[in-house]
Amino acid sequence: MSRGVAQFYRGRDFLPVFQMAFRILEVFRQFLTGNRMLPRAGFARKISLFVAVLASTVLFSFVTASVVHSLRESQNRERLQELAASTLHRAELGADYAFIALTELSERSDIVCGQNTIELFRKQIHQRAIVKDIRIVDAQGITQCAAFPDVLGADQKHLDMTALQSSRNDHIKFMPLTLNGQPALGVHWTIDTDRGLVAIVNTDTLVFDVLPSALRTGNEVRVMLTDGALIASHAGGNPGAQSCADHMAEPQVFSAASRRYPLRAQICIDRQLVAMWNNQVSAAYPVGGGLLGLIFGLLAVRAVTGHRSLTSEIDDALAGREFKAYAQPIFCLKSGEITGCEILARRVLRDGTVILPGDFIPLAERTGRIAPITWQIMDDALNQLRPLLRSNKRFTVAFNICAHHMMQPSFTADLRAHVSGSRVGSRQVVIELTERHEISDFDQASATIAELKKIGYRVAIDDAGTGHSGLSYIQKLGADTIKIDKFFVDPVIDDPSARSLINMLVRLAHDLGMSTVAEGIETREQAVALAELGVERGQGYLVSRPLPLDAFLRFVAERDNGHRRSAA
């Protein structure tokens, strides 16, 4: 068994099985961990994961059965090869017995045809049952005398000396014979130039019980001389056949050749029988493999559903263009006119599920994916809003940019490439610098903002009054707009301190030549109070929640139509 296992690991016959198994396992792994066709939510995902577990179970069961079947087939081939070697060993022993008998006789000087010589021959034959006759032949192969003249029959007194084949010992040569209608072996010992001894070896016993009983019918064991002359055969042998293919449709041949004598042994078995012999795979193997597959599938599903890399999720979403732009209107607090919008990121799954930015933006910023998400959102927004921006040159669209992203050396060039690629003017694009991370280098940030303003972009400080921003922060950056956070807007009606802070921000903006936008306005009273404090524009659910871009465009068109009808 240990040798069979060793061959299992080194044999090329198993390579296709393992290649197929590993290829399917790799496809299965990619399907679970990286394939974007796997649904990410809902009933469809559950069905997909169930199918994946089922596929893993079936796969392992199939591979286990295939491997066990292949291992046993390999063991069958190894056993048959060993039987061929054993058959050759038997033939060599028969030749050895004849060689020993002839050696002992050749050492005598009185080997001449006579009663004493015949008795010596018979004594050697009685000691070695496999040897059936010993005789003296002349140089032409004509029998001069024999221990048992009738062994080969009266018609075989003349042996074919041209069929002799040499061995490593110059005195010994081999020839094919026929004994009782069956192939046999003649071993010839040269006494002198005119005479030789021939021992007749009964080779029928060499191959009689070599094959297991299940393989004896229709298959063949052959022993031949090196020129192909048959000297022993069992179960279908044909003395005139030069190969197994002469009488078998698809033979698989197991051969062994002697190093001492011109002998070789063959076992010819039907190829399908080699695969099926003693190869009934017990149900325990596929069942055990199926259980392993079930465990593997469950662990893989657990890894996917519980521990899958969120970074990979973001990469998959980027590749699938799942990050979409939503727009929330920015409006004039006094007139109600929509003057622009802020673009907000959403992730929209294939089943329509909308994931809010709080679930992916912080991670995207930590892992460096925020830049590609930003550019994907910007391209989406500018391309769809292009007709509105071209028809209303005062309309602006604002994009949130984190400080780390803006500080990258390539940011300005990348921004210009994306905006120009969308065929939109830079003066209609506002960059909102978010407050999630503190700016580490004010000089670099100020220089970048100055460069952006120089080429036409506007810059706003988002969530002013919270986070890291202070008065000096706002003053040094040189932005165009201050956006007042919802934290101060919510209590603006009832909280004097909130009103005081908003009033201070408005005065600071006025002194620095900046405009103001209040975020998170939900009621008419808040809008009135903010307008009284000098805030110019607002943003919030009072006018509209964030909308998909197509819905936003319809909303703006309907609102403009309403304003025109009111003016008329």
Side-chain angles (χ1 to χ4, degrees), residues 19-33:
Q19 286 177 333
M20 176 186 66
F22 289 131
R23 188 177 299 115
I24 296 174
L25 284 173
E26 177 62 17
V27 171
F28 178 72
R29 183 193 68 78
Q30 292 179 355
F31 174 75
L32 285 179
T33 60

Side-chain angles (χ1 to χ4, degrees), residues 152 156 176-185 200-205 207 230-239:
L152 291 180
Q156 293 197 47
L177 298 173
T178 302
L179 179 64
N180 299 323
Q182 297 295 325
L185 173 65
I200 313 300
V201 179
N202 179 19
T203 56
D204 184 55
T205 58
V207 295
L230 195 66
I231 62 171
S233 177
H234 179 73
N238 179 2

Side-chain angles (χ1 to χ4, degrees), residues 45-68:
R45 178 180 177 84
K46 294 179 181 178
I47 291 296
S48 298
L49 293 176
F50 171 77
V51 170
V53 173
L54 180 62
S56 173
T57 303
V58 173
L59 171 65
F60 272 72
S61 177
F62 170 75
V63 170
T64 300
S66 298
V67 168
V68 172

Side-chain angles (χ1 to χ4, degrees), residues 538-549:
Q539 177 181 341
Y541 277 38
L542 173 63
V543 171
S544 174
R545 60 182 176 83
L547 298 170
L549 295 181

Side-chain angles (χ1 to χ4, degrees), residues 560-568:
D560 287 345
N561 291 334
H563 277 294
R564 283 195 290 269
R565 285 194 297 269
S566 298

Side-chain angles (χ1 to χ4, degrees), residues 289-311:
L291 290 176
L292 288 176
L294 177 63
I295 294 172
F296 173 84
L298 292 174
L299 291 175
V301 166
R302 180 182 177 187
V304 171
T305 57
H307 301 91
R308 187 174 187 269
S309 169
L310 293 177
T311 302

